[in-house]
Amino acid sequence: EVVGGKRLGRTMHLPTVNQRLEKGRILPGAGVYDTVCTAKGNRYPAVTNVGSRPTVNDDESDVTCETHIIGADMDLYGSEVTVEFYRYGRPEKRFSSIDGLKNAIEGDIKRASEYFARLGI
């Protein structure tokens, strides 16, 4: 289920779908992944961060799944979405600034867009 977050992604013009994950659930390792998000019956290329968001959060135990749907901006709060993990992109890291984080996410989106274009997604 999509839950509310800090809305930081939206202020960077990079909105995310936030999901809290149940304790005991098996997760991929912390990092950024090229993913496909199914929302409202459609599949979209996406970039997903699994981890504690160290640039904006000091609580390492606060692990979330945050997905930026490439080329779409929808209100999905309270709805169910599915995130399929295709490829590992990079490790999660703490950036010295929000601008550094934004630049990295934009690079992630570019990489994932090219990858999914090759796959026809």
Side-chain angles (χ1 to χ4, degrees), residues 3-116:
V3 298
K6 294 181 179 183
R7 297 186 181 254
L8 180 61
R10 190 162 298 282
T11 65
M12 294 187 296
H13 304 289
L14 299 167
T16 59
V17 171
N18 300 296
Q19 296 172 290
R20 291 267 172 216
L21 305 169
E22 302 158 12
K23 290 188 183 214
R25 184 165 282 228
I26 297 173
L27 300 173
V32 179
Y33 295 84
D34 299 343
T35 58
V36 169
C37 182
T38 301
K40 296 187 176 183
N42 295 304
R43 297 177 78 228
Y44 301 94
V47 173
T48 299
N49 181 77
V50 174
S52 63
R53 305 163 327 279
T55 303
V56 298
N57 180 33
D58 290 328
D59 182 358
E60 291 182 13
S61 69
D62 182 23
V63 175
T64 62
C65 179
E66 288 191 72
T67 301
H68 172 75
I69 300 172
I70 299 171
D73 185 6
M74 299 173 276
D75 180 0
L76 296 170
Y77 293 113
S79 64
E80 298 280 330
V81 301
T82 302
V83 179
E84 300 170 62
F85 289 76
Y86 274 67
R87 183 171 80 155
Y88 178 80
R90 66 171 171 84
E92 183 180 53
K93 68 178 270 186
R94 180 182 305 271
F95 293 92
S96 60
S97 69
I98 296 299
D99 283 339
L101 173 61
K102 182 179 180 183
N103 289 336
I105 295 169
E106 289 171 343
D108 298 332
I109 292 167
K110 182 177 188 294
R111 180 199 64 243
S113 295
E114 291 168 355
Y115 172 69
F116 287 120

